[in-house]
Amino acid sequence: QKEVEQNSGPLSVPEGAIASLNCTYSDRGSQSFFWYRQYSGKSPELIMSIYSNGDKEDGRFTAQLNKASQYVSLLIRDSQPSDSATYLCAVNPIKAAGNKLTFGGGTRVLVKP
Amino acid sequence: GAVVSQHPSRVICKSGTSVKIECRSLDFQATTMFWYRQFPKQSLMLMATSNEGSKATYEQGVEKDKFLINHASLTLSTLTVTSAHPEDSSFYICSASGDVTDTQYFGPGTRLTVL
C-alpha cells in the first residue's frame, strides 16, 4: 500500500462545476496535510494546508480532513479552464524526520469550456 | 511572502561537466531545504534533505558523491550535479521550510539538459 494515494485521473470537469479530489494516507499519526497545484512543466505551488478535522475554505478551494478515516479531499468550486493542472496531496507523517513530506502521485484535472 | 528562487532556470551542458543550481529563500529563513527531481510525466522524487550547517540526508538510491548539496546559510542551498550524464537530464526543484510550520514552498525549478 502506498503511503499517500490519489486517483491519477484525468478528472474531467465542465467549466463552472465542482471538481472533487480525494487522497488517502496510511500513517494514522500524520498531523499536517497539504494540497499543491502543478501546471505542466512548472513546479508545485501551495494551494492550502490543513491540520484539523473538518473543512477549511480559501476562495474557490475547500480542503476537508477526516483523520479517523485517513482521507483528505479538495473541492474546487466554479472550476475554470485555468484550474486544469495536476493536484498533489502531501502528508507529513509523524515518523518522518524534520518537515519531510510524502507526496501522492497526483490527480490530473481537465476543466473543459 | 514565502518566496523561493532558483538559478539558473534552464541549463544545457556537455556530458562530464558539473552544474551548480542555487536555491534561495527570499523572505524567510529556511531551516530545512529539500531537493527533488522530476522526470516527464512522473511524480516528484525527493533526492535529499538539508539543514543549515549540517550534512544533507540523501534518499535511498541517490548518490551523495554525484549530487553534492551544501546548505551554508539559512537562505541558500546549492545542488551540484558532478560529472553529469544524459541520464541526469531532468527537472530539479528545491523547496524550503521554515521553523514555524512544516509547509514547504517550492522554487520554480531548473531544467537540466545534458548533451
Side-chain angles (χ1 to χ4, degrees):
Chain A
Q1 181 190 5
K2 292 182 181 177
E3 293 185 57
V4 179
E5 291 209 56
Q6 295 180 255
N7 188 318
S8 61
L11 175 66
S12 187
V13 178
E15 183 175 358
I18 295 175
S20 178
L21 291 74
N22 294 316
C23 169
T24 58
Y25 58 94
S26 60
D27 186 337
R28 184 170 287 279
S30 299
Q31 297 294 318
S32 309
F33 307 86
F34 306 87
W35 283 100
Y36 289 86
R37 175 175 63 194
Q38 186 175 24
Y39 291 111
S40 181
K42 303 293 185 183
S43 68
E45 55 181 319
L46 180 68
I47 297 174
M48 62 198 308
S49 59
I50 186 166
Y51 298 92
S52 304
N53 280 329
D55 294 0
K56 180 180 178 182
E57 188 174 313
D58 185 356
R60 295 186 295 112
F61 299 98
T62 299
Q64 300 172 318
L65 175 61
N66 184 324
K67 291 185 180 179
S69 300
Q70 294 175 239
Y71 83 78
V72 56
S73 63
L74 181 71
L75 300 178
I76 308 173
R77 289 184 300 282
D78 188 25
S79 296
Q80 301 297 309
S82 59
D83 294 326
S84 297
T86 296
Y87 290 79
L88 303 172
C89 170
V91 175
N92 186 347
I94 194 135
K95 61 179 173 61
N99 295 338
K100 195 164 124 176
L101 298 179
T102 301
F103 285 84
T107 298
R108 194 158 72 97
V109 172
L110 293 174
V111 181
K112 297 189 174 180
Chain B
V3 179
V4 177
S5 69
Q6 264 184 260
H7 178 80
S9 59
R10 187 178 295 267
V11 59
I12 301 173
C13 69
K14 292 182 179 179
S15 186
T17 60
S18 294
V19 174
K20 180 186 279 189
I21 302 170
E22 289 188 352
C23 177
R24 293 180 185 273
S25 58
L26 299 185
D27 53 0
F28 69 103
Q29 293 189 322
T31 50
T32 310
M33 286 185 168
F34 305 84
W35 287 95
Y36 295 85
R37 182 166 56 179
Q38 188 173 38
F39 294 105
K41 300 193 186 301
Q42 292 189 24
S43 303
L44 284 174
M45 188 192 81
L46 179 66
M47 299 175 67
T49 303
S50 74
N51 293 292
E52 184 260 340
S54 303
K55 288 186 178 179
T57 302
Y58 290 81
E59 295 298 302
Q60 192 171 10
V62 178
E63 300 174 59
K64 62 179 181 181
D65 294 330
K66 181 169 181 62
F67 299 99
L68 302 178
I69 292 172
N70 185 279
H71 192 162
S73 77
L74 284 172
T75 59
L76 173 64
S77 176
T78 60
L79 166 68
T80 301
V81 183
T82 62
S83 186
H85 288 95
E87 57 266 29
D88 298 323
S89 298
S90 188
F91 190 39
Y92 291 85
I93 313 170
C94 73
S95 71
S97 179
D99 265 337
V100 179
T101 74
D102 51 2
T103 304
Q104 287 187 29
Y105 298 94
F106 284 85
T110 297
R111 194 161 302 280
L112 170 64
T113 302
V114 184
L115 302 176

